[in-house]
Amino acid sequence: MTRRHGPRALALAVGILVILAMAACGQGSTTGPGAGPTATPGTQIGTASATVTGKTVTILTNSAGRTLYYLATDSADTSTCTGACTATWPPLLFNGGKLDSSTPVPGQLLVVDDANGAQVTYNGHPLYIFSGDSKPGDTNGEGVENVWHVITVNTPAQTAVPTGY
């Protein structure tokens, strides 16, 4: 004997499929470095107190609290750490949305298009993190090769600060 399912069963099956499809849409993710289902647009810069070369200073940090650095050979609109260098010194890239600081900083935060993409700058210095730092507050990159330095809120501006966007 063949059993027939009426329109109610069909409507119920379609309804369940619609609910499952809607639930799956909410589980999407963004792409790119560090992105995931909880990634939010915007680049947040923070500050923290750290000891650098024996002095306590206010440093800039990324959204994860990691110390930010600048490279002395960079200019206000050109990053000299590109290609293989970025494996050790990943650039801080702008991921869209709003560029903001969680606490007021006296310098200028901008984004400049360079060889690394839309790189965040502070007072005209392109910003990086150091792969040798394992947790917030680490400053292991200070003085590497005598050209890498922790960026502090008091780091002077490059002579030509880019206009950014």
Side-chain angles (χ1 to χ4, degrees):
M1 177 168 148
T2 305
R3 188 171 189 174
R4 295 191 74 171
H5 297 286
R8 288 170 107 167
L10 180 60
L12 179 62
V14 169
I16 290 172
L17 288 174
V18 168
I19 290 170
L20 290 173
M22 289 175 64
C25 289
Q27 299 300 316
S29 65
T30 56
T31 59
T38 59
T40 56
T43 301
Q44 186 75 32
I45 304 295
T47 60
S49 185
T51 302
V52 180
T53 61
K55 295 180 183 174
T56 301
V57 294
T58 302
I59 63 170
L60 296 184
T61 62
N62 69 1
S63 60
R66 299 274 304 274
T67 301
L68 294 173
Y69 295 86
Y70 71 96
L71 176 58
T73 58
D74 284 351
S75 69
D77 59 358
T78 304
S79 175
T80 56
C81 177
T82 60
C85 175
T86 63
T88 303
W89 298 94
L92 180 65
L93 298 177
F94 181 66
N95 61 4
K98 184 177 180 184
L99 176 62
D100 198 8
S101 175
S102 61
T103 56
V105 293
Q108 187 174 36
L109 287 168
L110 293 173
V111 176
V112 63
D113 284 325
D114 62 20
N116 294 320
Q119 191 162 356
V120 179
T121 66
Y122 181 72
N123 282 346
H125 299 277
L127 301 177
Y128 306 84
I129 61 170
F130 178 48
S131 63
D133 288 347
S134 61
K135 65 186 181 312
D138 282 352
T139 59
N140 298 318
E142 173 59 33
V144 170
E145 298 179 14
N146 295 316
V147 293
W148 288 100
H149 303 285
V150 171
I151 194 138
T152 71
V153 294
N154 297 320
T155 300
Q158 294 270 25
T159 53
V161 176
T163 55
Y165 57 85

